[in-house]
Amino acid sequence: MRHTVTGAEVWFNQSDQWHPASLGDDTAKALAQIMPADELPQSVTFADGSPIPDEYVLQVRDRGLENAVNVDWYEGDLLLIDNLLVGHGRRPFTGPRRILVAMSD
């Protein structure tokens, strides 16, 4: 797609978050035993509706993890993210935290 402000071509994809392969082998197999693929609560396919092979999705996930950048947080920090340019997530965390989110154009 094209970035709405800069016009730059960007690749935006969350297939690794919606595909059953991202659940792990045991969970994906258990889920497949109780419901057909077309009834899964979360799923992703190619645009024509055909299935995306697990290895494609796992490659998307692995490339994202290889390019991940950890951010060291300090009290009072604020992070602004352009959702079209940067995929974002978080690592597992324990302890108290406060998250404030605002969406804007």
Side-chain angles (χ1 to χ4, degrees):
M1 68 183 296
R2 296 254 171 224
H3 191 280
T4 57
V5 175
T6 68
E9 187 176 24
V10 297
W11 187 72
F12 182 85
N13 189 293
Q14 293 180 315
S15 63
D16 60 316
Q17 297 174 30
W18 295 95
H19 193 279
S22 66
L23 299 171
D25 290 342
D26 293 339
T27 303
K29 285 178 187 175
L31 194 56
Q33 291 177 357
I34 60 173
M35 64 178 40
D38 63 342
E39 292 181 17
L40 292 172
Q42 295 185 153
S43 185
V44 62
T45 64
F46 286 116
D48 66 0
S50 62
I52 299 174
D54 291 359
E55 58 270 19
Y56 289 19
V57 174
L58 297 177
Q59 184 176 23
V60 168
R61 181 203 62 198
D62 292 347
R63 296 301 84 77
L65 292 172
E66 288 171 7
N67 289 284
V69 175
N70 291 323
V71 175
D72 292 327
W73 288 89
Y74 300 94
E75 187 172 340
D77 280 356
L78 172 69
L79 178 65
L80 300 176
I81 297 173
D82 182 329
N83 279 330
L84 292 179
L85 292 179
V86 179
H88 60 88
R90 66 177 179 83
R91 303 273 188 210
F93 175 81
T94 58
R97 64 184 171 148
R98 183 173 165 209
I99 299 173
L100 304 173
V101 177
M103 304 299 275
S104 178
D105 289 339

